[in-house]
Amino acid sequence: MTGSDRLGSRPDTSTTRLISVRVRSQTKILSSISKPILLSCLLPFRAPCLSFARSLLLQLQSLHSMPSSKCSTLALGISMAALLQIAGISLFLFGFFPVKPTLPGFSGSESYQMPSCDSDSDAERADLSSEQRKFLYEELSGITPVYDRLILMVIDGLPAEFILGKGRKPPAKTMAEAMPYTQYLLANELAVGFHAKAAPPTVTMPRLKAMMSGAIGGFLDVAFNFNTQAFLDDNLLDQLYRIGWRMVMLGDNTWIKLFPNLFSRQDGVGSFFVKDTVEVDFNVSRHLDVELAAEDWNLLILHYLGLDHVGHIGGRQSILMAPKLKEMDDIIKEIHMQSIIPQKNSSSQTLLVVVSDHGMTEAGNHGGSSYEETDSLALFVGNGIRTASNGKSVNNEAFQVDIAPTLALLFGVPIPKNNIGVTLTNVFQSLTEEQRLKALELNSWQLLRLLRANLPRLCCDYSGSSTSNLNSGTNLRADSTGINFCIQYAKAVAAHDYWRLQNNSTLRSDYFHIASESYELFLRNASEWLSHRATDKPIHILLVAVVFMFFSCLLFVCLTCWLFCNTYNNLWSSEDIFIFIAIILHAISFGSSSFVEEEQYTWHFLTTTLYLIFLFTQIRTFLKGLNRNLSEVMSPIILVLISGRILRGWHQGGINWAHLPDISKLLLQLSPSTITFLHITSILSLTVLYSNSISILKSQFNLVLWLSYLIGACLVLLQSIKNNIANTILVDHGTTWIPQAVYVIGGISVISSLFLLPWISSVRRKKDIFLGIRECVYDIGSAYVAFWCLLQLLLQQPVNAIPVLLIYMQHRASVSLFADSVSVHKDWVKVAALYFLGLAGHFGLGNTNSLATIDVAGAFIGISSYSTVLSGVLMFCITYASPILSHLSMVMCISTMVDRRVISCKEIDWRTLLESTVAIPSLVPLVVNSVALTSFTVVLLLMRNHLFVWSVFSPKYLYLCASTVSVYLGVLLIAGTVFYTCYVFTLDKRKHQT
């Protein structure tokens, strides 16, 4: 049978219409089977081992006798292309996201000396005691520490605008009223607040590293955030430990993992149980009275997680946000009144520093680079804190990395080696002019050493008291960038020297301001250059990775073209042309950062246009008289288009326009009962649709499968009701069993349907293998899709319940369209359409190409103890719910691709069967994904020095890599299901014949 013959043929009318009617749930349920099906399906398992082995041998012989060269070539080619792609991705990730290079060791006494052109050779003595080292640092620095105790209070996820306002506007009334004592401190200039901009990725672990070391970590720290390892680089805590400080830590156990063996007392709590907003903070505050009264510590770290968890659950506007802010304000008040006010005239002084690791979006998420996510807080409260005469206590701009050098100089320890932060001069107003200039000088020396590590030729050997020697260039050795830094630094040194020489108070004050401004200019420019400098990337490794991925993509495309040439004729339909153009346009769009940020518009447009083409095709077929029932085939298309339009408006999505109103934001403003009602409606609707999609009375197994689904749906319904009742009491560990029961029931049901349904169907359809395979694959696919959607109704945010239902209806309607007897769509078009639906639905659920939209809250549903693997799997399932659903729907759609003429009672045309049921559903998603992945890899390589490389392009690449994983999992599931089903049917047929 030639490829053109198969193209012109239509599926068997009776069987195809049977599948179509079942999909649309418009047929009568088939009569029950009178014979004991379950006993019959178990007969093959009870057969003697020798009989089973003989049957297997005969089956293998039949496989060898078929024309399998083409199938073997396809399998080998797909495997080689997949291996090349995996190797390319691995090499590119290794080369593009390397661990950021750092200077080894810890800063010591050499930090208090100006760096020379030769390497610093004055190593600190290792035998110094803590007290000796402390006095040595104080003597060399010339700055007497103002404070001898530090309370570092970390409020996880607190945006600075909640306390300081945004721009020149004060904070929102509800936020200000929730923190009255903090507002009192700022209004009376008893505290200084900063908008401390955090660098992406805005997740806890890398942000704590930045605050303690002053360095910006690698981008892949977002992945390490879920499995924190000990921090070995130079940092503030180790420096304080080296001078004999005793430290106590209460709260997020990330501190314990980062800095093991440093704390004399500690009580850590897990940071990933985001449903807990009470116990995580109570566990910290219950120790507060005792620790504030204790005198055996120098550093007390309090890390509160509750506010971040409130954001993950309900967003910024959560009803729990104001009470949580009031709780934090009461703690600040308690610390200030017990530890700071009583020390007003004492020689011992305590400094309270209130910081946040990151902000949060309106939805309460974080991880990206938007203003809302990077707007973290740095609030200094102490007796010596005061603003400058012309300064301000709020709306000061800073960077999160500036906290490390500021605290290091305030407490008399060297600045960490890899710090790129700049001293916050507003905090040093109580120091003398000499000490303030000395602090800026020490910060400049530290950054000069770091610049030398990045610019080996840099040498700023300046020892004069004017810029005359500098302008001659005799003491400079560097490239243009280094010379500019040296000039800026030398001007600051010259102004500092002139300040020392002046006796006139007016001139001395003028030169003090000139020197301060010159130092700050040099420090800011150096810090900005170091923070924006792209990490050195091994270009040869990146090029090899791109070559691997290019040849992988080329191999996928060649295999697909070869398969199509042998399967279809050379006539291209409008659908074929559009899908080809859509793949190319999508790849080209990656060249624009705006298209990457707003990719949801691309997929909504492409999917809608494709189904409009389907609609015009059906109308044209009707006008030609080939289709007498236009409404029957138009209904699924119209349903897909209407559902797609609702999905597009449900989440505004993207990054630039996320603030615009949409349906989800409107629902969140209503009462929680409204969302719960929609959630319950979605559960019931999905149950009814699944009940009508299978013939319950066709077999006892189908009845058992339906009952298990009904039990799972009832449990999800119960969980939804309990969450609504306890929406203000979110800690309810007693309900953990409900999700766990859903996991167990769903897993057993899906696995049983895969392994038992083929045996049951093969027994029932001995005389018609064609119909048996089609029905069996369809039933298995229906179970996959239904239980997957039920899982999503459990894990997704309740506001996403209706989108999950709409996406399910879109896939069911598409399978109905493709199963219709008058359908003229090619098999690869069917697969591409489902794949397009999956990607459009991915954004319809609120996902974007920003890490901030990853739903962390759902990843811990049903988990009683923290597990990185389990939470990671659930997070992957939530994020890629729609793309995976498209692959599961392809299993249902495969039932429309089986041609009766390739299966007969006498002989099975394995080559043609596997081409249509395995090769095409596998190759089409692999090709579309490979083209996107390869093109974006090239774009990322070209954009490696782009301004948005870390904020836009890098997160998208991580999403593409994860999407590739979902495609491979989907392809393996499709191939495994079809191979196993066909194997069971042929094995049973061979056994029956022998």
Side-chain angles (χ1 to χ4, degrees):
M1 184 188 303
T2 63
S4 59
D5 291 334
R6 290 193 300 275
L7 174 66
S9 64
R10 290 183 178 178
D12 179 78
T13 303
S14 59
T15 55
T16 308
R17 185 170 296 278
L18 175 61
I19 296 295
S20 175
V21 171
R22 287 180 56 200
V23 174
R24 292 192 301 270
S25 306
Q26 296 175 351
T27 187
K28 297 180 180 179
I29 301 175
L30 297 176
S31 59
S32 60
I33 305 300
S34 57
K35 296 180 180 180
I37 300 298
L38 290 178
L39 293 177
S40 300
C41 74
L42 293 176
L43 287 176
F45 297 103
R46 297 201 305 263
C49 296
L50 183 60
S51 175
F52 180 82
R54 184 177 59 183
S55 300
L56 179 61
L57 180 61
L58 293 174
Q59 173 65 21
L60 292 176
Q61 290 175 350
S62 67
L63 290 178
H64 282 296
S65 63
M66 73 178 182
S68 59
S69 59
K70 185 177 178 181
C71 296
S72 302
T73 303
L74 280 173
L76 181 61
I78 292 175
S79 301
M80 290 180 58
L83 291 176
L84 280 174
Q85 189 172 77
I86 294 172
I89 293 175
S90 302
L91 283 176
F92 196 87
L93 289 174
F94 172 78
F96 198 86
F97 301 105
V99 178
K100 193 168 184 178
T102 57
L103 297 178
F106 292 87
S107 296
S109 56
E110 76 281 354
S111 301
Y112 301 102
Q113 302 171 6
M114 179 179 175
S116 62
C117 290
D118 300 326
S119 60
D120 295 323
S121 57
D122 297 333
E124 183 178 287
R125 289 173 53 188
D127 58 347
L128 292 178
S129 65
S130 299
E131 285 295 321
Q132 290 174 329
R133 186 176 285 111
K134 178 181 178 181
F135 289 121
L136 175 64
Y137 291 163
E138 183 177 337
E139 179 183 357
L140 292 176
S141 67
I143 304 175
T144 303
V146 181
Y147 306 96
D148 52 10
R149 300 183 97 194
L150 170 64
I151 300 177
L152 182 63
M153 180 179 176
V154 184
I155 305 178
D156 205 294
L158 174 65
E161 66 176 287
F162 280 13
I163 296 178
L164 306 179
K166 184 177 181 180
R168 297 184 178 273
K169 296 180 180 179
K173 183 179 179 181
T174 54
M175 304 302 176
E177 291 177 348
M179 304 193 74
Y181 196 80
T182 305
Q183 295 300 325
Y184 161 79
L185 294 176
L186 291 168
N188 291 273
E189 297 187 353
L190 299 175
V192 178
F194 295 86
H195 291 268
K197 183 178 180 181
T202 46
V203 290
T204 298
M205 186 268 287
R207 303 283 53 81
L208 296 184
K209 285 183 179 181
M211 285 189 282
M212 293 298 100
S213 68
I216 299 177
F219 187 82
L220 287 185
D221 275 345
V222 67
F224 303 144
N225 184 62
F226 295 95
N227 189 21
T228 306
Q229 303 296 325
F231 188 43
L232 303 179
D233 296 339
D234 194 3
N235 62 84
L236 183 64
L237 292 192
D238 275 304
Q239 289 290 351
L240 293 172
Y241 185 79
R242 283 157 57 87
I243 63 171
W245 274 36
R246 290 175 58 84
M247 293 174 272
V248 177
M249 201 293 301
L250 307 173
D252 187 354
N253 60 8
T254 303
W255 289 92
I256 301 174
K257 297 177 182 178
L258 284 174
F259 309 103
N261 306 320
L262 291 188
F263 304 108
S264 56
R265 286 192 299 277
Q266 61 191 32
D267 187 5
V269 296
S271 60
F272 295 103
F273 291 103
V274 295
K275 292 292 183 181
D276 178 8
T277 65
V278 179
E279 291 183 3
V280 285
D281 288 347
F282 174 76
N283 211 47
V284 178
S285 299
R286 65 193 176 105
H287 300 287
L288 194 56
D289 290 335
V290 174
E291 293 298 345
L292 291 180
E295 298 182 355
D296 62 343
W297 55 262
N298 304 95
L299 170 62
L300 174 62
I301 298 176
L302 310 170
H303 193 137
Y304 288 93
L305 293 163
L307 189 136
D308 179 67
H309 292 184
V310 168
H312 280 299
I313 295 170
R316 288 191 174 202
Q317 306 304 322
S318 170
I319 59 175
L320 300 177
M321 187 60 74
K324 181 57 66 176
L325 288 173
K326 184 63 171 64
E327 180 185 346
M328 296 296 101
D329 187 68
D330 291 340
I331 294 169
I332 294 174
K333 179 180 180 180
E334 181 180 356
I335 295 173
H336 187 253
M337 297 187 70
Q338 291 192 26
S339 297
I340 297 178
I341 292 181
Q343 298 177 343
K344 192 168 185 179
N345 298 317
S346 172
S347 59
S348 176
Q349 293 291 325
T350 299
L351 175 66
L352 169 63
V353 180
V354 183
V355 298
S356 60
D357 49 354
H358 51 74
M360 65 174 66
T361 63
E362 283 297 325
N365 295 319
H366 54 87
S369 58
S370 67
Y371 173 83
E372 290 77 12
E373 298 164 83
T374 60
D375 182 35
S376 63
L377 173 71
L379 182 70
F380 294 81
V381 184
N383 289 322
I385 298 296
R386 65 174 186 267
T387 60
S389 58
N390 59 347
K392 50 189 177 181
S393 59
V394 296
N395 294 328
N396 297 295
E397 300 292 337
F399 291 91
Q400 197 174 62
V401 291
D402 298 341
I403 296 174
T406 302
L407 294 180
L409 292 172
L410 281 175
F411 291 96
V413 294
I415 299 174
K417 276 190 174 184
N418 299 288
N419 164 73
I420 64 169
V422 177
T423 302
L424 300 174
T425 54
N426 279 7
V427 183
F428 289 85
Q429 297 302 317
S430 61
L431 300 181
T432 64
E433 290 185 352
E434 181 180 3
Q435 290 175 329
R436 286 151 68 184
L437 288 178
K438 185 63 177 179
L440 291 171
E441 184 180 48
L442 292 175
N443 197 177
S444 300
W445 289 351
Q446 180 266 322
L447 281 186
L448 274 176
R449 289 185 173 88
L450 196 57
L451 286 171
R452 281 186 54 197
N454 289 272
L455 298 171
R457 297 183 56 198
L458 177 67
C459 175
C460 302
D461 190 5
Y462 176 69
S463 58
S465 59
S466 67
T467 60
S468 58
N469 291 335
L470 173 67
N471 293 331
S472 66
T474 56
N475 297 329
L476 296 178
R477 298 198 311 270
D479 54 17
S480 59
T481 302
I483 290 176
N484 289 333
F485 284 135
C486 287
I487 292 174
Q488 294 172 11
Y489 169 72
K491 289 180 178 179
V493 173
H496 195 172
D497 290 341
Y498 280 126
W499 174 84
R500 289 191 182 98
L501 297 175
Q502 297 302 319
N503 295 321
N504 185 292
S505 59
T506 303
L507 291 176
R508 190 177 178 86
S509 178
D510 291 341
Y511 277 111
F512 168 76
H513 291 297
I514 294 174
S516 298
E517 292 174 358
S518 300
Y519 273 127
E520 290 180 9
L521 177 63
F522 163 74
L523 289 170
R524 280 300 171 201
N525 289 338
S527 175
E528 183 178 0
W529 184 86
L530 288 167
S531 62
H532 287 90
R533 182 175 182 271
T535 304
D536 291 336
K537 303 177 180 67
I539 191 65
H540 58 284
I541 294 181
L542 299 181
L543 290 176
V544 171
V546 170
V547 170
F548 279 6
M549 298 174 71
F550 174 78
F551 279 108
S552 169
C553 180
L554 185 63
L555 187 53
F556 276 134
V557 172
C558 291
L559 288 172
T560 306
C561 293
W562 179 55
L563 178 63
F564 285 5
C565 290
N566 288 275
T567 306
Y568 309 111
N569 58 24
N570 295 325
L571 296 177
W572 281 56
S573 66
S574 57
E575 303 163 354
D576 302 331
I577 297 174
F578 174 76
I579 294 176
F580 174 77
I581 295 176
I583 295 173
I584 301 301
L585 287 177
H586 179 237
I588 295 174
S589 70
F590 288 144
S592 168
S593 61
S594 297
F595 273 103
V596 174
E597 291 176 314
E598 311 298 332
E599 189 182 0
Q600 73 277 3
Y601 294 116
T602 301
W603 283 114
H604 285 309
F605 170 77
L606 294 178
T607 305
T608 302
T609 306
L610 178 60
Y611 275 82
L612 284 174
I613 294 175
F614 289 165
L615 182 62
F616 295 149
T617 302
Q618 296 297 340
I619 294 175
R620 187 171 61 248
T621 305
F622 175 77
L623 294 177
K624 292 180 179 180
L626 301 177
N627 180 10
R628 297 182 179 180
N629 193 351
L630 182 61
S631 60
E632 184 176 336
V633 293
M634 285 183 60
S635 299
I637 302 177
I638 294 175
L639 177 60
V640 170
L641 293 174
I642 294 176
S643 300
R645 186 61 189 90
I646 297 175
L647 285 172
R648 180 179 175 183
W650 200 270
H651 289 282
Q652 186 60 38
I655 298 173
N656 297 321
W657 315 110
H659 62 281
L660 295 180
D662 54 36
I663 300 175
S664 64
K665 293 186 181 70
L666 176 63
L667 291 174
L668 291 173
Q669 293 174 0
L670 302 177
S671 64
S673 300
T674 303
I675 298 178
T676 303
F677 171 75
L678 295 177
H679 196 189
I680 294 173
T681 302
S682 301
I683 298 172
L684 296 177
S685 301
L686 190 63
T687 303
V688 172
L689 289 173
Y690 177 62
S691 301
N692 291 333
S693 69
I694 62 173
S695 298
I696 300 174
L697 302 179
K698 181 177 63 177
S699 69
Q700 297 179 25
F701 184 82
N702 276 20
L703 179 60
V704 172
L705 195 63
W706 178 79
L707 289 175
S708 66
Y709 182 86
L710 190 62
I711 294 173
C714 291
L715 290 175
V716 176
L717 190 66
L718 177 62
Q719 180 75 8
S720 176
I721 296 173
K722 291 178 74 71
N723 287 341
N724 181 53
I725 296 175
N727 59 9
T728 58
I729 308 175
L730 294 168
V731 180
D732 189 3
H733 298 298
T735 60
T736 304
W737 70 270
I738 298 178
Q740 291 176 348
V742 175
Y743 300 154
V744 173
I745 292 173
I748 293 177
S749 300
V750 170
I751 294 174
S752 300
S753 64
L754 171 62
F755 288 102
L756 295 182
L757 268 177
W759 294 102
I760 297 173
S761 299
S762 65
V763 172
R764 189 176 65 253
R765 293 290 182 181
K766 287 182 179 180
K767 296 183 179 181
D768 195 342
I769 296 180
F770 168 69
L771 185 58
I773 290 179
R774 294 189 63 170
E775 287 186 351
C776 180
V777 172
Y778 175 81
D779 287 341
I780 294 174
S782 297
Y784 286 167
V785 171
F787 279 97
W788 180 256
C789 289
L790 186 64
L791 176 66
Q792 296 308 315
L793 289 176
L794 174 68
L795 298 179
Q796 295 278 348
Q797 295 288 345
V799 75
N800 277 344
I802 293 296
V804 170
L805 177 62
L806 292 175
I807 294 171
Y808 173 78
M809 292 172 61
Q810 282 186 319
H811 286 82
R812 284 283 306 277
S814 298
V815 176
S816 173
L817 171 67
F818 302 145
D820 194 89
S821 60
V822 297
S823 175
V824 294
H825 308 293
K826 298 177 183 176
D827 290 344
W828 84 277
V829 172
K830 301 176 185 177
V831 175
L834 291 175
Y835 189 77
F836 279 27
L837 279 179
L839 292 175
H842 172 73
F843 295 102
L845 289 172
N847 295 295
T848 68
N849 288 328
S850 169
L851 299 177
T853 51
I854 295 177
D855 184 8
V856 180
F860 300 93
I861 294 177
I863 299 180
S864 56
S865 60
Y866 175 68
S867 170
T868 303
V869 175
L870 292 179
S871 59
V873 170
L874 290 180
M875 196 178 303
F876 179 83
C877 292
I878 295 171
T879 305
Y880 289 93
S882 183
I884 294 177
L885 179 61
S886 68
H887 289 285
L888 301 180
S889 300
M890 289 177 197
V891 179
M892 296 175 61
C893 191
I894 284 174
S895 63
T896 70
M897 302 177 185
V898 182
D899 195 331
R900 174 178 287 277
R901 285 174 295 176
V902 304
I903 301 178
S904 65
C905 294
K906 296 181 179 180
E907 186 178 358
I908 298 178
D909 186 354
W910 277 96
R911 180 176 63 84
T912 306
L913 177 64
L914 295 179
E915 284 176 7
S916 59
T917 59
V918 177
I920 292 177
S922 299
L923 271 175
V924 173
L926 287 172
V927 168
V928 177
N929 179 78
S930 182
V931 171
L933 179 65
T934 304
S935 59
F936 194 81
T937 303
V938 174
V939 169
L940 187 58
L941 180 62
L942 297 176
M943 299 287 187
R944 63 187 182 278
N945 296 318
H946 193 276
L947 179 63
F948 299 148
V949 64
W950 302 119
S951 60
V952 176
F953 293 102
S954 295
K956 171 60 182 174
Y957 194 74
L958 296 182
Y959 272 109
L960 269 177
C961 292
S963 178
T964 303
V965 174
S966 71
V967 170
Y968 280 128
L969 291 176
V971 168
L972 289 175
L973 182 65
I974 292 172
T977 301
V978 175
F979 272 120
Y980 179 75
T981 302
C982 294
Y983 170 77
V984 171
F985 270 85
T986 53
L987 183 65
D988 187 74
K989 175 186 175 183
R990 176 65 64 180
K991 180 179 179 180
H992 179 72
Q993 290 177 347
T994 56

